[in-house]
Amino acid sequence: MARFLTNSEIRHAVDQLGKSSARARLCELLIGLRTLKLVGADQAPVAESAPEYVQAVNEFTRWTEDDSVDSPYFNPFGAHASYKSKKFPSNGPSNTMHGWATQADSPFEIINARPKEIRRRSLSAKQLRAFVILGKGDGERPRLIDAAVWFYRSTNFDRTEWQYDAVQVQHRGERTFDREGLEMRFMEDLALDEGDAIALFRSEVDDGPEDAKPVAAAEDGSQSDEPLSVQDADAAEES
């Protein structure tokens, strides 16, 4: 049986990401980091001809597989969150990253190859945060868990590689998902270290009342306190 994060869980994450002070370019940064992780090297091409780059773009922005949709990509980060056209993989993140070549605090070195490649630069946490968070980095960072939920929005958590992962815990006799475990898996999938996570995102200790998601009442009138909600594929199709 296929099991996915619920639509309400994903909607809440998108709402929270949009309310943050993240610049839209945070999405391009994460796409670049994911591309490097997928390639498994210090540098990687960022072009539509590179399958790892295309996978990273899809993981962070592709919201539908319907080819009739004019804007099948979506950048959820910050006040300028927006839908993107079908040309986004070819003239979106790669062009943005190439344009960072002349910026002093760019997180990537742009290598003049064919196609152009990126290599991560060493920046302080303050420099990295200021590059992708409004207000010279003093704005409200997005939450790490919301970025993780968005990233895993299409993930089938019943696949073999997830079934015994630390993100799954027992809750009222059912397998559900531990927030810290999912955040750690997200960091691993992007090769983010603790310093990166602190610079770019807020953690659970930073949560305030405004971060709480609406709690849905069960049929018996009780409320669930599980940290992340999931549903099987059949239920997802009916919702």
Side-chain angles (χ1 to χ4, degrees):
M1 179 184 293
R3 301 177 79 232
F4 301 87
L5 290 167
T6 63
N7 290 335
S8 61
E9 196 77 60
I10 297 166
R11 281 195 297 269
H12 179 70
V14 170
D15 287 344
Q16 293 298 100
L17 292 173
K19 293 175 183 176
S20 75
S21 294
R23 298 175 187 265
R25 63 169 58 169
L26 175 57
C27 189
E28 280 85 4
L29 169 62
L30 298 177
I31 288 170
L33 294 175
R34 176 60 172 161
T35 302
L36 288 168
K37 172 68 175 182
L38 290 170
V39 171
D42 292 337
Q43 62 189 65
V46 284
E48 200 171 12
S49 59
E52 296 87 358
Y53 165 77
V54 172
Q55 178 180 333
V57 170
N58 288 338
E59 288 173 334
F60 272 106
T61 61
R62 183 92 187 200
W63 68 272
T64 179
E65 297 301 324
D66 186 345
D67 290 334
S68 67
V69 175
D70 292 332
S71 300
Y73 300 93
F74 179 68
N75 178 346
F77 292 94
H80 295 290
S82 61
Y83 289 92
K84 307 294 182 181
S85 75
K86 296 176 181 178
K87 296 181 179 180
F88 185 63
S90 61
N91 63 12
S94 56
N95 285 357
T96 298
M97 285 184 261
H98 297 165
W100 294 348
T102 58
Q103 298 189 33
D105 289 338
S106 169
F108 298 126
E109 175 187 353
I110 308 302
I111 300 168
N112 195 18
R114 284 186 175 272
K116 289 184 178 179
E117 300 184 349
I118 58 171
R119 179 190 293 129
R120 185 153 185 201
R121 296 179 63 229
S122 179
L123 297 178
S124 69
K126 183 177 180 180
Q127 288 173 309
L128 184 60
R129 183 180 297 179
F131 193 78
V132 294
I133 304 297
L134 291 170
K136 296 184 179 180
D138 296 328
E140 189 77 351
R141 289 164 293 156
R143 296 195 309 164
L144 182 60
I145 187 58
D146 294 325
V149 167
W150 172 250
F151 183 73
Y152 296 118
R153 66 195 178 281
S154 300
T155 296
N156 176 7
F157 291 101
D158 258 6
R159 292 184 313 189
T160 302
E161 66 266 31
W162 282 91
Q163 286 182 359
Y164 302 102
D165 196 277
V167 303
Q168 300 209 26
V169 295
Q170 289 292 320
H171 179 83
R172 297 181 180 176
E174 298 288 339
R175 283 208 320 275
T176 186
F177 298 88
D178 173 70
R179 172 172 175 169
E180 183 180 5
L182 197 66
E183 290 174 338
M184 290 178 64
R185 178 66 179 258
F186 177 69
M187 290 172 62
E188 178 183 335
D189 282 342
L190 271 72
L192 294 173
D193 61 27
E194 187 174 349
D196 295 328
I198 293 172
L200 299 173
F201 301 105
R202 291 187 292 129
S203 63
E204 189 167 7
V205 297
D206 302 310
D207 279 1
E210 68 279 1
D211 294 310
K213 64 183 177 184
V215 179
E219 290 183 2
D220 61 2
S222 63
Q223 292 183 331
S224 171
D225 59 353
E226 65 181 37
L228 293 172
S229 54
V230 294
Q231 62 186 3
D232 61 44
D234 292 337
E237 291 176 359
E238 294 172 0
S239 63

